[in-house]
């Protein structure tokens, strides 16, 4: 279902905007994005926009999922941490591209629904937990990649600490309603920071993020 819409999404929203990683394009051609949202939104599931998933949260625009995933430079054998599970779509795309995905969501109701979707689709390499992702997942560190799908006021140091050497962190950082996407590579000489593209994400709320009432 929706195969043609998915192909068009990959071609016009991703390839035409210079997403070049063949593995990312293939994964996004495969993962049924519509199944990660309410059926009432299926007619817009492959359009060029973020969409509501309840609890005031969103499933990110396909292009943003693609560029963030591409920045992780996954080859297939990595262990990746995602902060902000939301609908689970980004985690599913990651699960197609690496060995293991650990993902944390702070809103229990979203996490419960998403866990059911992972089970229904047969994803066995995704581990989901409810909690404050701003502290990372120390028991499972180090990670080869960490992707944060909510916006932080600054780069939390704990994420860099939980990366393996050569590991990459992808994170939107900035003001409450507008941010810049960064890639941070952990090297023996210290973190290397690359600037990617402007973006708008819902806030990362927690100990090393925004406070609930900010
Ligand atoms: N990756 C998601 C997807 O594919 O649908 C999109 C995520 S949505 C833009 C951001 C998510 O981050 C929301 O579900 C929100 O509840 C969650 N979030 C915000 N702060 C968090 C925190 N400290 N720990 C875990 N999740 C958090």
């Amino acid at each position: 279902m929706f195969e043609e819409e998915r192909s068009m999404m990959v071609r016009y929203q991703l390839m035409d905007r210079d997403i070049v990683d063949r593995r990312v394009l293939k994964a996004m051609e495969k993962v049924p994005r519509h199944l990660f949202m309410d059926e009432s939104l299926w007619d817009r599931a492959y359009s060029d926009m973020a969409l509501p998933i309840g609890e005031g949260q969103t499933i990110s625009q396909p292009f943003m999922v693609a560029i963030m995933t591409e920045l992780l430079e996954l080859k297939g054998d990595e262990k990746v941490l995602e902060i902000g599970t939301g609908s689970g779509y980004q985690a599913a795309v990651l699960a197609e591209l690496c060995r293991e995905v650990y993902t944390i969501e702070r809103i229990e109701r979203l996490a419960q629904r998403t866990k059911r979707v992972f089970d229904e689709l047969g994803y066995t390499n995704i581990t989901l937990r409810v909690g404050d992702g701003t502290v990372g997942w120390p028991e499972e560190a180090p990670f080869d990649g960490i992707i944060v799908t909510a916006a932080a006021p600054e780069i939390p140091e704990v994420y860099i600490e939980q990366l393996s050497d050569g590991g990459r962190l992808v994170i939107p950082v900035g003001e409450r309603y507008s941010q810049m996407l960064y890639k941070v590579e952990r090297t023996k000489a210290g973190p290397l920071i690359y600037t990617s593209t402007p973006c708008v994400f819902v806030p990362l709320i927690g100990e090393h993020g925004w406070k609930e009432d900010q």
Side-chain angles (χ1 to χ4, degrees):
M1 205 174 176
F2 291 117
E3 282 84 2
E4 189 164 344
E5 285 81 354
R6 257 195 314 281
S7 277
M8 306 257 284
M9 172 190 85
V10 167
R11 180 155 175 200
Y12 296 114
Q13 298 176 40
L14 310 186
M15 295 172 80
D16 279 2
R17 290 189 189 132
D18 297 332
I19 300 296
V20 293
D21 185 327
R22 304 295 315 174
R23 295 182 71 244
V24 173
L25 295 169
K26 215 168 146 204
M28 291 187 63
E29 181 115 29
K30 177 176 172 194
V31 176
R33 180 173 162 89
H34 61 285
L35 296 181
F36 294 83
M37 60 187 73
D38 193 85
E39 196 168 345
S40 62
L41 296 171
W42 283 10
D43 59 340
R44 283 180 281 164
Y46 296 93
S47 52
D48 189 16
M49 57 174 84
L51 290 165
I53 55 171
E55 310 293 327
Q57 306 303 322
T58 51
I59 176 173
S60 306
Q61 176 199 23
F63 174 69
M64 200 43 70
V65 174
I67 194 167
M68 292 179 83
T69 309
E70 186 169 73
L71 286 169
L72 287 172
E73 298 174 48
L74 300 173
K75 301 286 179 269
D77 195 36
E78 296 85 354
K79 181 176 182 183
V80 173
L81 173 65
E82 180 198 24
I83 314 298
T85 318
S87 69
Y89 176 68
Q90 172 75 74
V93 170
L94 293 171
E96 298 287 339
L97 294 168
C98 69
R99 180 167 41 89
E100 276 179 290
V101 180
Y102 289 81
T103 182
I104 311 178
E105 172 55 53
R106 69 181 277 274
I107 301 177
E108 175 131 29
R109 275 171 50 116
L110 284 181
Q112 279 171 0
R113 194 175 64 196
T114 298
K115 174 117 197 11
R116 279 200 298 276
V117 178
F118 290 154
D119 290 344
E120 278 161 24
L121 292 177
Y123 281 106
T124 53
N125 61 340
I126 304 177
T127 309
L128 164 58
R129 95 170 179 196
V130 176
D132 177 8
T134 69
V135 298
W137 197 322
E139 308 88 316
E140 288 295 342
F143 297 97
D144 305 301
I146 299 181
I147 176 170
V148 185
T149 63
E154 52 195 40
I155 299 172
E157 194 62 37
V158 287
Y159 293 152
I160 310 218
E161 287 162 12
Q162 290 180 24
L163 277 180
S164 54
D165 264 335
R168 294 160 293 278
L169 163 68
V170 176
I171 181 167
V173 177
E175 304 299 320
R176 182 71 177 67
Y177 296 103
S178 79
Q179 304 94 30
M180 184 61 77
L181 186 64
Y182 293 97
K183 174 171 111 175
V184 184
E185 191 177 335
R186 178 170 167 159
T187 73
K188 289 203 189 331
L192 296 179
I193 302 182
Y194 306 87
T195 305
S196 176
T197 185
C199 53
V200 181
F201 276 84
V202 296
L204 180 74
I205 296 171
E207 186 179 334
H208 301 294
W210 296 96
K211 303 293 161 254
E212 193 122 24
D213 50 5
Q214 270 180 312

